[in-house]
Amino acid sequence: MTRRTLAVVSAGLSQPSSTRLLADQLAAATRDELVRRGAEVELHVVDLREYAHDVVNNMLTGFAPAALREVVDRVTGADGLIAVTPIFSASYNGLFKSFFDVLDKESLVDRPVLIGATGGTARHSLALEHAVRPMFAYLRSVVVPTAVFAAPEDWADGTADGALRGRIRRAAGELADQIERRPPAGGPADPFALTTDFLQMLGRGDGAPVS
């Protein structure tokens, strides 16, 4: 059985949060789809509101506090990522953008990503295409075709209604497809790992003894 890790980032600020609710339902649908295909799935859910001060400190100092470093490693080392933000002023919120700003610019290259958002009106759904998707395109991630937006009318007693439920299932299937096509992730890159062997650094590539 193949072991897969799925990172889930929610940038909701309130508690309870419709953003977290959407993130949880996207995660559950993706996990169920991967399990159906024979994978063992480990979820890592990140509520960014809990790390807001650490994110700001990282932006100011260039160094991530220990708790944030662990979160960053889990996100960048996962097989797939689900990223959900509330929409403020027709775009992602500042906490969501700031978190992805502190990641190494190469850390999400070729990473399968499912994007989602919540907002007070369905008119905000376009922000997924003009703001959120371009951000991950810049990071060279592989964003699945179906982006999932949820407005207040899409919920019924805390449960996704029929149309939203269908979008969640479709997006989860697309993310599972992308994850399945790739070998299991090896975790975050080691920043101290050598990319060149010792002889090459000395200018010798023939394997001859170095005098």
Side-chain angles (χ1 to χ4, degrees), residues 19 85-93 116-121 123-128 130-132 149:
T19 302
T85 178
I87 299 302
F88 293 167
S89 302
S91 188
Y92 37 62
N93 72 1
T118 58
T121 169
R123 288 177 297 174
H124 287 309
S125 62
L126 291 175
L128 278 166
H130 72 65
V132 184
F149 182 87

Side-chain angles (χ1 to χ4, degrees), residues 28-41:
T30 305
R31 178 197 59 207
D32 291 349
E33 182 62 25
L34 287 168
V35 168
R36 187 183 67 80
R37 301 178 187 206
E40 178 185 352
V41 182

Side-chain angles (χ1 to χ4, degrees), residues 1 5-6 8 13 16 22-23 32 35 38 57 65 81 92 107 119 125 128 134 147 158-159 169 173 177 185:
M1 180 177 287
T5 55
L6 187 62
V8 185
L13 300 181
L22 177 60
D32 291 349
V35 168
N57 287 337
L81 170 64
Y92 37 62
S107 63
S125 62
L128 278 166
T159 303
R169 282 199 302 263
D177 285 342

Side-chain angles (χ1 to χ4, degrees), residues 56-68:
V56 172
N57 287 337
N58 191 167
M59 296 187 75
L60 293 174
T61 67
F63 297 96
L68 180 61

Side-chain angles (χ1 to χ4, degrees), residues 149-179:
F149 182 87
E153 59 268 24
D154 290 317
W155 303 104
D157 297 323
T159 303
D161 74 358
L164 176 57
R165 193 160 54 245
R167 295 197 300 273
I168 289 172
R169 282 199 302 263
R170 184 168 67 249
E174 292 169 357
L175 182 59
D177 285 342
Q178 290 295 333
I179 292 174

Side-chain angles (χ1 to χ4, degrees), residues 13-33:
L13 300 181
S14 60
Q15 212 172 23
S17 164
S18 61
T19 302
R20 174 61 189 269
L21 179 60
L22 177 60
D24 286 344
Q25 297 211 12
L26 289 168
T30 305
R31 178 197 59 207
D32 291 349
E33 182 62 25

